[in-house]
């Protein structure tokens, strides 16, 4: 089994598809959770408290981190072995369409941008919330309670440069997902002339839903904290 998952092209793609599916589901959950901050700071903070340093949240964090490591490790392995076998081809796509080549050929670069954005996200949020609780602290570096996620979001996205970086990061995630979700379906054997346009449409919808939801939170708090939203809208 280990040899199949490492040495076989199908095995490598299967690991990428399964880990990618897991991460997409997490992104959908995380996006839905963040949207709560738009309607109620109290409700969002309750969610943050529920997902703090509790044992189930810590287990989930470890599993999530493992999924990210596996996904990126296999992305590197797949890229290296594909280059070795077929030159610069990252993903073998059985059905061609104009406009998909750029994302396909630059998945590794986009993936590194996503990874760098993830590191920044961990610094901005995880290190100021769950990590503080793990270390036994009652306040983070901003003087906020680690469960006060709403205030942390507001502070982070009140800065124009943070908002801009996150929008660029979300754009990279969108490009990554539009090709990655499609590749996942292809690995499952659903890439044929009949299902191709439907699955491409679904990939775009899922990617847009995830990134659009996150972007809405960023833009909303940037405008709100800089006084560009009327009180009735807040």
């Amino acid at each position: 089994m280990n040899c199949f998952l490492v040495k076989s092209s199908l095995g490598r793609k299967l690991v990428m598809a399964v880990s990618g599916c897991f991460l997409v589901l997490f992104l959908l959950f995380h996006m839905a959770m963040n949207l709560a901050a738009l309607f109620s700071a109290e409700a969002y903070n309750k969610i943050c408290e529920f997902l703090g340093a509790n044992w189930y949240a810590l287990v989930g964090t470890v599993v999530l981190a493992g999924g990210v490591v596996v996904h990126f490790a296999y992305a590197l392995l797949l890229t290296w072995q594909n280059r070795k076998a077929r030159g610069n081809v990252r993903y073998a796509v059985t059905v061609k369409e104009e406009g998909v080549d750029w994302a396909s050929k630059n998945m590794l670069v986009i993936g590194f941008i996503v990874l760098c954005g993830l590191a920044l996200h961990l610094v901005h949020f995880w290190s100021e919330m769950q990590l503080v609780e793990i270390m036994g602290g009652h306040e983070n570096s901003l003087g906020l309670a680690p469960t006060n996620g709403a205030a942390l979001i507001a502070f982070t996205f009140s800065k124009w440069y943070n908002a801009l970086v996150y929008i660029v990061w979300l754009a990279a995630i969108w490009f990554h997902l539009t090709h990655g979700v499609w590749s996942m379906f292809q690995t499952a054997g659903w890439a044929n002339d009949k299902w191709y346009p439907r699955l491409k449409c679904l990939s775009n919808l899922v990617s847009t839903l995830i990134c659009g939801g996150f972007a809405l939170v960023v833009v909303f708090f940037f405008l709100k904290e800089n006084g560009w939203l009327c009180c009735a809208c807040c």
Side-chain angles (χ1 to χ4, degrees), residues 1-19 74 77-78 81-82 85-86 90-92 94 183-191:
M1 176 62 71
N2 291 336
C3 292
F4 169 74
L5 296 179
V6 175
K7 296 183 178 181
S8 167
S9 175
L10 179 60
R12 296 190 298 270
K13 291 179 181 178
L14 179 62
V15 172
M16 286 288 291
V18 172
S19 60
Y74 267 79
L77 177 63
L78 186 63
Q81 292 182 332
N82 278 350
R86 297 187 298 273
R90 267 66 161 177
Y91 292 86
T94 56
S183 297
M184 179 178 66
F185 286 127
Q186 182 192 5
T187 301
W190 295 347

Side-chain angles (χ1 to χ4, degrees), residues 94 103 112 171 222:
T94 56
F112 275 117
F222 172 73

Side-chain angles (χ1 to χ4, degrees), residues 42-115:
E42 182 181 357
Y44 182 72
N45 288 342
K46 286 291 184 181
I47 296 173
C48 293
E49 183 178 355
F50 178 74
L51 297 175
N54 305 297
W55 69 267
Y56 46 83
L58 294 177
V59 170
T61 300
V62 172
V63 172
L64 176 62
V68 172
V69 170
V70 168
H71 191 71
F72 277 94
Y74 267 79
L76 291 172
L77 177 63
L78 186 63
T79 300
W80 177 74
Q81 292 182 332
N82 278 350
R83 279 184 172 180
K84 184 178 179 181
R86 297 187 298 273
N88 290 325
V89 178
R90 267 66 161 177
Y91 292 86
V93 179
T94 56
V95 183
K96 296 290 184 180
E97 179 193 43
E98 293 183 6
V100 302
D101 287 343
W102 186 88
S104 174
K105 293 179 179 179
N106 292 279
M107 281 294 279
L108 187 62
V109 174
I110 295 172
F112 275 117
I113 296 175
V114 172
L115 191 59

